[in-house]
Amino acid sequence: MSTKDSVLILLKEKKDKYLSGEEISKHLSLSRTAVWKAIQSLKEEGYEIEASPRLGYRLVKVPDLLLPGEIKYGLKTKILGKEIYHFKEIASTNDLAKGLAFRGALEGTLVVAEKQFLGRGRFGREWISPPGGVWSSLILKPEILPFDASKITLLAGVSVTETIQEVTGLNAQIKWPNDILVGERKVAGILTEMNAEIDKVNFIILGIGINVNVEIKNFPSELYQKVISLKEATGGEINRVYFLKSLLESLDKYYLELKKGEFEPILSRWRKLTSTLGAYVKVATLEREIVGEAIDLDEHGGLILRLDTGEKQVIYSGEIC
Ligand code: BTN
């Protein structure tokens, strides 16, 4: 743990009381200069810390940012979020995470940004990412075949939907393959990107974007009826740090299950959380449009359709129109 994170923990534990520089330096076996430097860098991050020559330091206010020290504080995960990179603004967290993964970053590394200016969605679409959202990417290194990578997307869909339900009480649902909706409007999306050889996954970048407290009125007007934020749906601001920690803990739990080869329980949760199964749908694939009743999901995330002819067809990539 960094010096800065250790100092922050001590200040948090003292709640709104003062902690002297000497106490901190003794407790952490640090020089007074090192303590002073840690306090300065916390202030630079946006923490409000009062410094009294007689009493010491006191944490006054934590900024509304997804700072590593906030996310790691009390985080109950085994793999995810041990290493966190935070940016006020970035092109795309997926791109940054990919660069880190190529340089050998630890499995579970999280990249999170307050704002993205080149956020990417599926099929190369733009993903609008203003302040107030949770724009994040995780580096994963599962020992699975490339063909099974879609399991990660399904797992993430379950975690995002359950976290929204638990934190906000909203009835979020999954629309195949991985759009998270509240009512008919999209609140979150998942972009899974993979680096693999024929029979080995090197790493997966799991990108998750959630419209938590974003203002939809600032989106292009043609999206008003298509997207929603949790703030708009609940009528109040959501604590983004709490939300992201809950999401990481859920992802961590399911990811460990997947690593143990236990995927069926995740799949059956997905089936319960989707609005797609049982519906008569039109799916646009790269080549054509197919209509039929969505009857099930196969273990690779393929949507099983019963066509009007009675014949069954599995679709692995596409979008419900
Ligand atoms: C979709 O099209 O539904 C997927 C959207 C995924 C957006 C997230 S935001 C964090 C990460 N970085 C990106 O550039 N995209 C993903």
Side-chain angles (χ1 to χ4, degrees):
M1 192 186 296
S2 72
T3 307
K4 191 175 68 184
D5 286 347
S6 318
V7 172
L8 180 63
I9 289 174
L10 281 187
L11 287 172
K12 276 178 178 262
E13 280 167 0
K14 267 278 174 182
K15 298 257 163 43
D16 46 7
K17 297 208 181 65
Y18 286 93
L19 191 63
S20 74
E22 193 182 336
E23 274 177 281
I24 304 177
S25 68
K26 263 204 192 129
H27 206 286
L28 299 175
S29 311
L30 292 172
S31 69
R32 293 293 290 273
T33 319
V35 172
W36 184 85
K37 276 193 183 151
I39 298 280
Q40 295 317 304
S41 74
L42 285 169
K43 281 183 174 174
E44 271 158 31
E45 278 191 346
Y47 288 92
E48 240 178 78
I49 299 168
E50 205 179 289
S52 148
R54 224 167 31 84
L55 302 166
Y57 300 105
R58 187 169 75 99
L59 181 59
V60 180
K61 199 168 166 221
V62 172
D64 177 20
L65 296 173
L66 300 168
L67 294 171
E70 295 304 309
I71 300 165
K72 282 187 197 163
Y73 188 69
L75 181 70
K76 296 184 228 50
T77 57
K78 294 215 161 56
I79 302 177
L80 308 184
K82 300 286 168 204
E83 194 79 64
I84 302 180
Y85 293 81
H86 170 259
F87 297 87
K88 292 237 165 95
E89 190 170 343
I90 200 177
S92 155
T93 54
N94 263 36
D95 293 347
L96 198 288
K98 209 176 293 171
L100 290 173
F102 274 121
R103 278 178 268 132
L106 198 72
E107 163 156 73
T109 297
L110 172 71
V111 179
V112 65
E114 301 298 328
K115 183 178 169 189
Q116 296 183 118
F117 52 86
L118 279 176
R120 289 185 290 110
R122 292 174 68 227
F123 305 115
R125 290 183 189 136
E126 177 192 13
W127 181 262
I128 302 175
S129 324
V134 169
W135 322 123
S136 62
S137 301
L138 282 162
I139 299 173
L140 303 176
K141 302 181 181 176
E143 283 168 14
I144 56 175
L145 293 171
F147 187 52
D148 278 332
S150 54
K151 288 182 175 173
I152 300 288
T153 315
L154 294 175
L155 176 164
V158 169
S159 279
V160 173
T161 311
E162 288 186 347
T163 304
I164 294 176
Q165 291 185 351
E166 278 156 28
V167 175
T168 67
L170 292 167
N171 182 28
Q173 289 192 309
I174 309 172
K175 178 174 151 195
W176 184 87
N178 47 31
D179 286 350
I180 317 300
L181 308 187
V182 169
E184 293 295 306
R185 291 154 75 190
K186 184 156 164 173
V187 74
I190 298 163
L191 179 67
T192 312
E193 297 181 293
M194 171 169 65
N195 179 284
E197 288 150 38
I198 291 285
D199 53 1
K200 183 181 172 282
V201 171
N202 296 324
F203 61 80
I204 283 177
I205 305 299
L206 173 60
I208 302 178
I210 307 161
N211 297 331
V212 179
N213 294 327
V214 301
E215 297 291 348
I216 301 298
K217 63 176 189 300
N218 298 336
F219 279 45
S221 57
E222 63 272 20
L223 294 179
Y224 289 174
Q225 298 308 313
K226 295 189 177 153
V227 295
I228 193 166
S229 70
L230 296 178
K231 178 179 168 182
E232 193 181 311
T234 58
E237 292 241 338
I238 311 294
N239 181 326
R240 289 183 308 143
V241 169
Y242 178 77
F243 184 92
L244 181 53
K245 283 167 78 170
S246 309
L247 175 62
L248 288 173
E249 286 170 4
S250 168
L251 287 165
D252 194 75
K253 178 180 81 184
Y254 290 131
Y255 187 52
L256 286 170
E257 283 184 17
L258 175 94
K259 276 182 170 276
K260 280 193 263 162
E262 293 162 15
F263 190 63
E264 192 46 49
I266 298 170
L267 209 51
S268 68
R269 279 176 181 273
W270 193 100
R271 291 189 181 103
K272 286 201 186 84
L273 293 167
T274 187
S275 54
T276 301
L277 297 184
Y280 192 79
V281 294
K282 189 201 279 181
V283 185
T285 69
L286 273 182
E287 301 90 34
R288 61 201 176 105
E289 287 185 353
I290 308 166
V291 289
E293 187 193 348
I295 54 171
D296 203 0
L297 194 74
D298 79 4
E299 64 184 83
H300 301 289
L303 185 66
I304 308 176
L305 286 186
R306 189 187 292 121
L307 309 184
D308 294 343
T309 55
E311 196 190 328
K312 283 185 192 165
Q313 186 160 348
V314 189
I315 302 165
Y316 288 101
S317 173
E319 199 168 33
I320 296 178
C321 320

